[in-house]
Amino acid sequence: MKVLVIGSGGREHAIARQFANSPSVSGVFVAPGNDGMNQEVTCVPIGVLEFACLADFVKKNQIDLTFVGPEQPLAEGIVDYFMDRGLSIFGPTQKAAQLEGSKSFAKELMKRYHIPTASYDTFTDAEQAKDFIREQGAPIVIKADGLAAGKGVVVAMTLEEALEAVDDMIGNQKFGDSSSRIVIEEFLAGEEFSFMSFVHDGKIHPMPIAQDHKRAFDGDEGPNTGGMGAYSPVPQISNSVIEEAYDKVVIPTVEAMAQEGTPFTGILYAGLILTDEGPKVIEFNARFGDPETQVVLPRMISDFGEFMRALLTGGDYELKWDQQAMLGVVVASDGYPGDVQKGVRLPELMEMSKGDTVVFHAGTKMEGETFVGNGGRVLLIATKADTLRAAQERVYNTLAQQEWNGFFYRTDIGWRAIQ
Ligand code: AMP
Ligand code: GLY
């Protein structure tokens, strides 16, 4: 079986590597991929939105399955495009991808089907939004309706912050069209976890849960990012909570999407928060999470290619997962999630991949003989071990052996689980 993975980040590196490690898979291509994964798989210089070129590549090279990593091509209809051409692809249609691409779509669906989530209202008018905020008081949460690379959420602890967020999003169009409509949401407090499932034709295969670290700095301080590190499993979330989330969120969402005439195929990512009233939805994504994938997918023992084939052809398959824990720390360019400088030289990365410790490349580029930074989140170093504590220790020991001038990482990934 030959597979094409679409995307270029650490998540896609993890997906591609998992396919490459599957005995059933004979060839793995990534479009466009990045220099760091080029040694393991074949990178193809086609952008994620060049649908016609991608489809041509698939036909010409007799690719059996295309797997979509990021949200943007999904939101722009890559799955519809491939299906119209009879090509096998894994991901939601453009309509189903609205579950992620439009927060108001997701919120309305949850309301209609009684799926637990924060109460909310939607606004396109800044003054009405501000009146609502003054009525509700802080803390309160302001979200850009559309895609914003994980940065379109402001958890405002004060009224001033909330009002400013409205001005930024609607007034200054901070996220362009994505923030011309905003969702204002009740603030929820509790432990967060990411619950991802493979979904096709009403069948659901849940994965072990993970916890991301959204804030840029230690102690969960600083601005929201795409994610600064993750680990799996999450011992402080009990199995009964996971079952409750499965029964009250995952299953009803898959059923609701089918009822609405937009059946969901792909990775259903539920971002959940454990409140006093049980788990509630913070967000849905219509794809694998980054960096959660880098600590969940390598725990899969089953043959990924074989599983995907079974899933898409309606066969039964029991996924098997490693009991070991995995923890990963993101290295980002100084300044992230704001503007960053590209081209800064990275330390020797080869030495870091040893035994159960692996490097996932996100924004790296080869310049001469060395890797340089080429984006905000540059790479993720992860390790598998018997306990989270052991994994954490090993990752940080590995990181400490190098100089990271021009880059930074959080030093407390996993702190909620390891005290
Ligand atoms: P999102 O991009 O929707 O995942 O939101 C980014 C982060 O903002 C989440 O991981 C939460 O930490 C926080 N957040 C989002 N919605 C809420 C909410 N209703 N209450 C509290 N925190 C929230
Ligand atoms: N790590 C969160 C996301 O992928 O959206």
Side-chain angles (χ1 to χ4, degrees):
M1 171 174 188
K2 287 205 275 184
V3 180
L4 172 68
V5 178
I6 294 187
S8 63
R11 162 185 54 209
E12 286 74 22
H13 194 176
I15 297 168
R17 183 178 285 162
Q18 198 66 25
F19 276 125
N21 289 342
S22 304
S24 67
V25 175
S26 58
V28 182
F29 301 85
V30 188
N34 62 50
D35 286 352
M37 53 175 102
N38 215 358
Q39 283 129 350
E40 291 163 70
V41 295
T42 309
C43 294
V44 188
I46 309 175
V48 302
L49 298 179
E50 294 175 51
F51 297 172
C53 292
L54 290 166
D56 281 348
F57 178 84
V58 161
K59 278 192 209 148
K60 221 174 265 163
N61 293 278
Q62 298 177 325
I63 303 289
D64 301 288
L65 171 68
T66 299
F67 196 109
V68 189
E71 58 272 27
Q72 216 192 345
L74 295 170
E76 299 201 11
I78 191 171
V79 170
D80 311 68
Y81 189 92
F82 270 52
M83 288 195 329
D84 285 348
R85 282 156 189 77
L87 303 173
S88 168
I89 186 162
F90 186 67
T93 60
Q94 187 168 30
K95 278 198 173 139
Q98 285 181 92
L99 199 55
E100 168 168 9
S102 166
K103 300 230 188 245
S104 51
F105 173 92
K107 293 300 278 192
E108 274 157 34
L109 187 92
M110 287 187 272
K111 198 183 213 172
R112 258 199 313 282
Y113 290 87
H114 308 290
I115 295 164
T117 188
S119 62
Y120 76 104
D121 236 310
T122 314
F123 298 89
T124 50
D125 181 275
E127 287 318 309
Q128 283 175 9
K130 287 182 186 175
D131 286 344
F132 179 76
I133 288 171
R134 288 190 196 100
E135 259 166 49
Q136 301 289 316
I140 194 160
V141 182
I142 326 291
K143 301 186 172 184
D145 186 55
L147 296 177
K151 299 166 196 166
V153 173
V154 175
V155 180
M157 299 316 282
T158 64
L159 216 50
E160 291 70 42
E161 267 178 275
L163 300 174
E164 197 184 321
V166 172
D167 279 333
D168 272 351
M169 290 195 198
I170 297 184
N172 305 332
Q173 299 210 306
K174 185 165 181 196
F175 302 104
D177 256 3
S178 283
S179 66
S180 56
R181 180 199 301 262
I182 59 174
V183 166
I184 301 184
E185 217 174 72
E186 164 198 15
F187 171 82
L188 300 175
E191 191 84 33
E192 289 182 39
F193 59 106
S194 308
F195 190 176
M196 305 186 285
S197 305
F198 294 95
V199 179
H200 177 65
D201 208 8
K203 278 205 174 124
I204 309 172
H205 295 265
M207 295 178 231
I209 63 168
Q211 187 172 71
D212 187 10
H213 298 63
K214 289 279 204 183
R215 302 295 191 117
F217 309 128
D218 283 5
D220 294 328
E221 302 275 348
N224 266 319
T225 68
M228 294 299 293
Y231 60 96
S232 172
V234 187
Q236 63 277 35
I237 301 292
S238 68
N239 282 337
S240 66
V241 169
I242 299 172
E243 274 162 31
E244 190 181 343
Y246 189 64
D247 292 340
K248 292 192 177 155
V249 174
V250 182
I251 294 176
T253 302
V254 172
E255 286 176 354
M257 291 295 280
Q259 285 251 318
E260 295 287 306
T262 51
F264 192 90
T265 279
I267 306 294
L268 177 65
Y269 168 125
L272 299 159
I273 193 161
L274 179 56
T275 71
D276 295 341
E277 296 164 3
K280 292 190 180 182
V281 177
I282 285 186
E283 67 163 342
F284 283 120
N285 292 326
R287 41 120 190 128
F288 264 125
D290 190 344
E292 289 94 328
T293 307
Q294 293 90 309
V295 296
V296 170
L297 209 46
R299 297 184 61 212
M300 184 188 282
I301 297 171
S302 312
D303 181 309
F304 190 27
E306 203 173 82
F307 164 67
M308 285 308 303
R309 184 157 27 197
L311 181 66
L312 291 171
T313 54
D316 286 328
Y317 200 99
E318 198 194 330
L319 271 178
K320 294 210 167 57
W321 299 93
D322 196 336
Q323 289 308 305
Q324 281 196 309
M326 193 147 183
L327 182 142
V329 176
V330 168
V331 175
S333 300
D334 281 346
Y336 177 75
D339 293 337
V340 303
Q341 197 188 334
K342 292 183 180 177
V344 179
R345 199 180 159 143
L346 281 156
E348 181 51 59
L349 299 177
M350 285 309 191
E351 287 166 25
M352 293 185 202
S353 313
K354 254 188 235 143
D356 283 330
T357 303
V358 285
V359 179
F360 295 99
H361 289 249
T364 65
K365 201 173 145 192
M366 203 60 153
E367 246 178 47
E369 296 290 293
T370 53
F371 279 111
V372 299
N374 193 37
R377 291 190 290 177
V378 172
L379 52 88
L380 175 137
I381 300 195
T383 197
K384 229 192 240 182
D386 287 340
T387 63
L388 282 170
R389 186 184 293 276
Q392 186 194 48
E393 204 176 291
R394 204 181 306 143
V395 172
Y396 281 118
N397 281 341
T398 307
L399 281 161
Q401 282 160 21
Q402 308 287 340
E403 297 267 357
W404 295 98
N405 296 323
F407 304 94
F408 75 103
Y409 55 85
R410 278 183 60 161
T411 65
D412 64 348
I413 298 302
W415 71 274
R416 286 175 192 275
I418 311 161
Q419 294 251 326

